[in-house]
């Protein structure tokens, strides 16, 4: 089975080179690394290309739009969606292939932050449970291509929480699994904005989303909370 790794980016020059280099050193030659860029104004695209990725310049910025665009050009039987600041286990290619061969149509990893803080450790601990409320985009997501297509891909109408929303749909098409290993993700936003402030903001936004607040209003709430 061929694996295609799809990374949505926007101004990620600080991290994309290290990630692509890591992925290239831990995967077979036939594995694709696709960087779906949303119009970065820095040198993200140049760094990604030099590190060995195939760079796709997307017409529209938006994580869902970019990931769908990457999936359309991907040749893999397994699509693996990964954030630019998240590193999977060294043997992730073997693990994903094994999971698909065992009958799983999609899944993710448990989470670990690169910053030692008791609240983040607690937050990450909950990701071991197969509950949609604790599914985060940072956990990465693998999906068998036919399952991804049957589910309809990412919802490009969503401005927030597109990573969580798609899990609800792909698990209806085929079994979903939370793999026991962990991805290591950057806590840079937590360091910048504060651990409690950011996590409480995420919880509030998710709650409002579940209550049916429109995407436009969710974005306004997010910007106000985080002063973006």
């Amino acid at each position: 089975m061929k694996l295609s790794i799809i990374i949505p980016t926007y101004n990620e020059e600080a991290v994309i080179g290290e990630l692509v280099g890591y992925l290239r050193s831990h995967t077979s030659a036939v594995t694709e690394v696709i960087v779906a860029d949303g119009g970065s104004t820095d040198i993200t695209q140049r760094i990604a290309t030099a590190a060995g990725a195939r760079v796709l310049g997307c017409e529209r910025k938006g994580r869902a739009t970019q990931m769908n665009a990457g999936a359309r050009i991907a040749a893999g039987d397994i699509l693996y969606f990964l954030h630019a600041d998240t590193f999977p286990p060294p043997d992730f290619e073997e693990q994903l292939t094994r999971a698909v061969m065992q009958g799983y149509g999609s899944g993710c990893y448990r989470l670990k932050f690169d910053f030692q803080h008791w609240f983040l450790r607690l937050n990450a601990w909950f990701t071991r449970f197969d509950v949609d409320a604790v599914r985060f985009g940072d956990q990465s997501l693998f999906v068998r291509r036919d399952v991804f297509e049957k589910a309809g891909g990412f919802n490009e109408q969503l401005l927030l929480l597109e990573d969580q929303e798609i899990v609800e749909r792909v698990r209806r098409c085929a079994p979903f699994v939370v793999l026991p290993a962990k991805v290591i993700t950057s806590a840079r936003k937590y360091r910048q904005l504060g651990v409690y402030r950011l996590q409480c903001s995420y919880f509030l936004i998710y709650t409002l989303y579940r209550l049916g607040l429109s995407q436009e209003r969710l974005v306004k709430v997010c910007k106000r909370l985080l002063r973006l």
Side-chain angles (χ1 to χ4, degrees):
M1 289 187 177
K2 185 174 181 178
L3 176 67
S4 294
I5 306 167
I6 301 165
I7 309 165
T9 58
Y10 181 74
N11 289 348
E12 295 287 3
E13 64 180 7
V15 295
I16 193 61
E18 182 181 3
L19 175 62
V20 174
Y22 173 87
L23 296 173
R24 286 268 56 112
S25 66
H26 289 90
T27 54
S28 59
V30 297
T31 293
E32 291 182 311
V33 179
I34 299 171
V35 169
D37 189 70
S40 293
T41 57
D42 62 8
I43 58 173
T44 293
Q45 294 192 28
R46 191 187 315 166
I47 293 174
T49 300
R54 177 184 180 185
V55 175
L56 171 66
C58 300
E59 295 181 0
R60 290 194 298 124
K61 177 187 173 186
R63 195 180 294 273
T65 300
Q66 292 169 230
M67 290 189 286
N68 281 342
R72 281 194 293 271
I73 69 166
D77 307 292
I78 305 171
L79 306 176
Y80 185 44
F81 300 96
L82 187 66
H83 286 188
D85 59 359
T86 300
F87 287 73
D91 59 341
F92 74 96
E93 183 174 37
E94 178 184 347
Q95 292 182 22
L96 301 186
T97 302
R98 185 187 312 123
V100 169
M101 293 181 68
Q102 289 173 344
Y104 293 106
S106 62
C108 67
Y109 282 102
R110 298 179 185 182
L111 188 64
K112 180 179 180 180
F113 289 97
D114 65 355
F115 179 57
Q116 293 300 312
H117 189 287
W118 75 269
F119 193 71
L120 292 184
R121 289 199 300 272
L122 178 63
N123 182 16
W125 183 82
F126 279 105
T127 62
R128 70 189 58 221
F129 300 110
D130 189 9
V131 179
D132 288 351
V134 293
R135 289 286 72 80
F136 306 106
D138 285 335
Q139 291 176 254
S140 69
L141 175 71
F142 77 87
V143 188
R144 215 171 60 217
R145 173 179 287 280
D146 63 312
V147 172
F148 182 78
E149 293 174 351
K150 184 177 180 180
F154 289 92
N155 185 347
E156 297 185 10
Q157 301 302 312
L158 297 184
L159 306 174
L160 297 170
L161 301 173
E162 67 287 324
D163 293 301
Q164 285 185 315
E165 189 274 339
I166 194 174
V167 171
E168 300 176 12
R169 290 184 285 113
V170 295
R171 69 161 66 247
R172 296 190 202 118
C173 301
F176 183 92
V177 63
V178 180
L179 298 173
K182 300 174 182 177
V183 294
I184 299 177
T185 193
S186 171
R188 52 183 173 165
K189 291 183 180 179
Y190 288 95
R191 293 192 186 100
Q192 178 184 358
L193 299 172
V195 171
Y196 304 115
R197 174 188 170 192
L198 186 57
Q199 192 58 50
C200 288
S201 297
Y202 284 159
F203 178 76
L204 176 59
I205 291 167
Y206 178 76
T207 301
L208 294 174
Y209 164 72
R210 284 298 182 186
L211 291 174
L213 201 68
S214 70
Q215 286 284 305
E216 291 74 16
R217 294 184 67 184
L218 282 176
V219 170
K220 290 180 180 178
V221 171
C222 182
K223 289 182 176 180
R224 182 174 298 178
L225 289 172
L226 306 180
R227 297 175 187 173
L228 298 177

